[in-house]
Amino acid sequence: MFLLMLFKNLLMIITSNLTKTYGNNVSLSDLKKIKAVFTSNNEATINGVKYTPWHIEDEERIKTLIGQAVNAKKTSIISNGTWYCSMRAACTKTKENAMDEILKGIRQIFTLLEIEKMPVKELCEKFKYYFHEIKKSGNVLHVTTDAESLKQFMPALKDFVKETDIHSLKPFTEKSAEDLYECTILPGEDKIENEEYFVLPTQGGYSATCVKFDSLDTSESACGTVLAHWLGQALLWDKIRTRGGAYGANSSVSGLDYTFDMSSFRDPTPLKSLQTFKECIDEACSLNLSKEDIDRAITGCYSSLKQPSSPEAKGFIGFKNRLYGVLQETCDEWINDILHADNEGLKAFAQKVKTAAHTLRTAVICDESTEINTGKKINIFFQ
């Protein structure tokens, strides 16, 4: 798994611009140029951007790309602290969350630092091996377009598949959750703690907590969504933003992962916010909201779900739902349950969160002056 993490990071670096271009208004001629980049030594210009073929044996280029990636990730952790904390807090809740942490989270940054220390020639050999193994395992191509354009696009796509020698997915051996959770452990550690505090030279902190439920039906997920919206607009806003001085705070529920999380953003007192999260859930267990307050929260949820989105965004959501086996009927049922959420349902969900407190995981980014008395303190100054 460690070597796969290495390969993923480099492959993402090399192909990121190409992937972004490929995902936006690609034409038939562009498809041919993309194919040329992957199968020949010719340069190609796509949407005004020049691409040169990448070769895994190109040691000097790989060394440069790794250096760029390390520097970019080091600087990104402070500006995207809430995102990193949220992934870290959820990383042992599901296999999908573990993969997110391994490939996109704090663990990824440590992986890049380890890549930087490896001999480039040895790394190139490993990448070549994994490139061929990944290609052999199969591919999924997802296209979002209108019906008429698809008729023109399909013949070229078939040629693309044939000439690049890619094929459908092969049966795979499923990894256990424990195997993936083990891959989220940071270098030098023998286990992952339920409380982790990452110390960086930052003026503002970030915090996130996550709990996991044994089950979560559509109605409960809907009530949790409305409660999360209300918390973000009311209790969390008042206690963490207005009184606590943070730039913001948020909460969300995942009906796919059976999780509920809370987080703060650019927070001067991130450890204090952890206690505030608990207080907010305690208060939510005895909610007595007016019909107007509930209607306002429902309207906020519904408007965010129904706001216009681009064809690309719709295509991505549809593709993700297909991968997860989520039916449109289930989505419609969930939205209908949101529209019928009530005070008792919101209180019941808050109680469900409180009952799941034994599954709580916490991740905090803070500066060196923060007094930490519990959990695992991890210095990541990247010296």
Side-chain angles (χ1 to χ4, degrees):
M1 177 58 73
F2 173 68
L3 294 177
L4 283 175
M5 287 190 284
L6 301 185
F7 182 80
K8 170 263 167 189
N9 277 282
L10 187 63
L11 189 61
M12 181 183 68
I13 298 161
I14 295 172
T15 62
S16 60
N17 289 333
L18 186 61
T19 304
K20 290 174 185 176
T21 303
Y22 185 42
N24 290 296
N25 304 319
V26 64
S27 67
L28 293 177
S29 60
D30 288 339
L31 193 63
K32 294 177 182 178
K33 293 172 183 176
I34 293 169
K35 180 182 64 180
V37 171
F38 281 96
T39 58
S40 75
N41 293 326
N42 300 318
E43 288 187 344
T45 301
I46 305 171
N47 292 349
V49 180
K50 182 177 286 188
Y51 296 96
T52 56
W54 61 276
H55 298 286
I56 297 175
E57 64 270 17
D58 189 341
E59 295 182 22
E60 192 59 37
R61 189 178 183 195
I62 287 178
K63 186 176 180 179
T64 301
L65 289 167
I66 289 173
Q68 291 173 348
V70 169
N71 291 332
K73 291 301 177 183
K74 282 181 182 178
T75 57
S76 75
I77 193 169
I78 293 178
S79 58
N80 297 283
T82 301
W83 188 61
Y84 280 111
C85 280
S86 295
M87 276 193 288
R88 190 68 190 171
C91 71
T92 60
K93 301 307 179 189
T94 69
K95 291 191 287 186
E96 291 78 14
N97 289 336
M99 288 301 297
D100 279 343
E101 168 63 17
I102 292 166
L103 299 180
K104 298 184 289 186
I106 289 175
R107 183 61 182 90
Q108 174 203 199
I109 298 173
F110 282 91
T111 299
L112 283 169
L113 292 172
E114 292 175 60
I115 290 176
E116 202 173 26
K117 298 174 185 177
M118 293 182 68
V120 178
K121 188 166 185 176
E122 177 187 341
L123 206 55
C124 289
E125 291 302 313
K126 294 182 187 297
F127 287 151
K128 281 195 286 187
Y129 169 76
Y130 275 99
F131 174 76
H132 293 299
E133 288 299 305
I134 289 171
K135 190 175 178 181
K136 284 196 306 183
S137 69
N139 306 265
V140 176
L141 296 177
H142 175 65
V143 178
T144 300
T145 186
D146 58 83
E148 190 59 36
S149 298
L150 187 61
K151 292 178 183 177
Q152 302 175 31
F153 195 72
M154 282 305 295
L157 190 61
K158 289 178 180 178
D159 289 341
F160 176 80
V161 169
K162 183 178 179 181
E163 294 181 36
T164 53
D165 192 31
I166 60 177
H167 53 79
S168 60
L169 295 176
K170 289 184 176 180
F172 66 98
T173 303
E174 189 170 355
K175 287 284 185 181
S176 70
E178 288 69 27
D179 286 340
L180 291 175
Y181 297 160
E182 186 176 341
C183 292
T184 67
I185 298 174
L186 300 179
E189 306 295 328
D190 56 2
K191 64 177 181 177
I192 184 167
E193 301 285 350
N194 282 334
E195 298 177 46
E196 292 182 309
Y197 302 89
F198 298 94
V199 180
L200 287 105
T202 174
Q203 294 181 340
Y206 304 85
S207 64
T209 62
C210 182
V211 297
K212 172 74 182 292
F213 309 115
D214 292 331
S215 63
L216 195 65
D217 63 32
T218 305
S219 177
E220 290 175 319
S221 176
C223 288
T225 301
V226 176
L227 177 65
H229 182 86
W230 179 79
L231 286 170
Q233 299 298 313
L235 279 185
L236 291 174
W237 179 278
D238 177 53
K239 292 177 179 288
I240 292 181
R241 181 178 171 84
T242 304
R243 292 191 233 171
Y247 274 41
N250 190 36
S251 62
S252 64
V253 60
S254 171
L256 290 174
D257 299 330
Y258 297 171
T259 58
F260 179 82
D261 65 78
M262 306 175 80
S263 59
S264 66
F265 174 68
R266 291 194 179 179
D267 189 347
T269 56
L271 269 64
K272 183 180 177 182
S273 293
L274 298 178
Q275 180 60 31
T276 303
F277 293 155
K278 180 180 181 300
E279 292 170 1
C280 288
I281 292 300
D282 289 340
E283 289 187 38
C285 288
S286 56
L287 276 182
N288 188 22
L289 296 181
S290 66
K291 186 177 184 306
E292 290 74 18
D293 285 337
I294 294 177
D295 286 346
R296 194 177 299 114
I298 290 173
T299 300
C301 291
Y302 187 80
S303 62
S304 64
L305 293 169
K306 289 296 185 179
Q307 62 183 341
S309 55
S310 67
E312 183 181 3
K314 289 179 180 178
F316 173 76
I317 292 172
F319 183 48
K320 184 178 179 180
N321 285 345
R322 184 175 179 83
L323 291 176
Y324 275 90
V326 178
L327 302 175
Q328 185 58 47
E329 290 84 352
T330 304
C331 296
D332 294 341
E333 180 185 349
W334 177 62
I335 291 175
N336 184 64
D337 286 340
I338 286 176
L339 295 175
H340 291 87
D342 57 22
N343 192 78
E344 291 304 310
L346 270 60
K347 286 199 297 183
F349 186 85
Q351 186 60 52
K352 190 177 182 76
V353 174
K354 191 171 182 178
T355 303
H358 64 284
T359 70
L360 183 73
R361 263 191 50 75
T362 296
V364 173
I365 290 176
C366 54
D367 65 20
E368 197 170 21
S369 65
T370 304
E371 187 175 342
I372 300 170
N373 299 317
T374 62
K376 183 69 179 181
K377 180 178 178 181
I378 302 166
N379 287 291
I380 46 177
F381 285 97
F382 303 125
Q383 294 178 344

